[in-house]
Amino acid sequence: MSSKPKRKSSSSSNSSSSTGEGSRHYRRVRRRPWGKFAVEIRDPAQKGSRVWLGTFDTDVDAAKAYDCAAFKLRGRKAILNFPLRIQSVDPGC
C-alpha cells in the first residue's frame, strides 16, 4: 500500500471572504494587501521589461486594462482575459 501525501487544496475562502463573492484570478492582475488590484505587462520590444499599467479598485477593471495593453502590444496573438470584449469593442481601447 502506497500512501500518497495529501496535498492541500488551494484555499479560495481567503480571497472570496475579502471580496464578498467568488474571486477569479485574471492574467497579470495582483491583489495588494490593502485591497486594490495592480496590473503590469511585459514588453517584448524592451527585452521583457515591465510596463506599469496602474492600480484599480476592482479586478475586472485591472483585467480590462491588461487586455487593452496586451492587444496594443501583441495584436491578435495576445492572450486576453476577455477575448470577446476586444473583438466587440474598438481595438483602440
Side-chain angles (χ1 to χ4, degrees):
M1 277 174 75
S2 66
S3 68
K4 293 182 181 178
K6 290 187 177 182
R7 299 177 85 186
K8 273 190 170 180
S9 62
S10 61
S11 173
S12 63
S13 62
N14 291 342
S15 60
S16 64
S17 65
S18 60
T19 60
E21 58 189 35
S23 179
R24 177 160 184 224
H25 295 282
Y26 295 103
R27 177 176 295 278
R28 300 289 184 231
V29 175
R30 297 177 290 163
R31 185 182 176 120
R32 297 289 191 179
W34 49 89
K36 292 225 178 194
F37 294 89
V39 63
E40 61 189 15
I41 191 169
R42 298 275 184 164
D43 187 1
Q46 296 178 358
K47 298 182 183 177
S49 66
R50 293 179 185 154
V51 177
W52 183 252
L53 301 177
T55 56
F56 299 87
D57 291 329
T58 65
D59 54 348
V60 173
D61 289 341
K64 288 178 183 178
Y66 171 84
D67 284 358
C68 185
F71 192 80
K72 285 180 181 177
L73 285 174
R74 299 184 180 102
R76 295 179 53 106
K77 293 183 179 182
I79 300 173
L80 307 173
N81 293 303
F82 306 107
L84 298 177
R85 180 183 172 275
I86 289 294
Q87 292 174 358
S88 64
V89 178
D90 180 28
C93 298

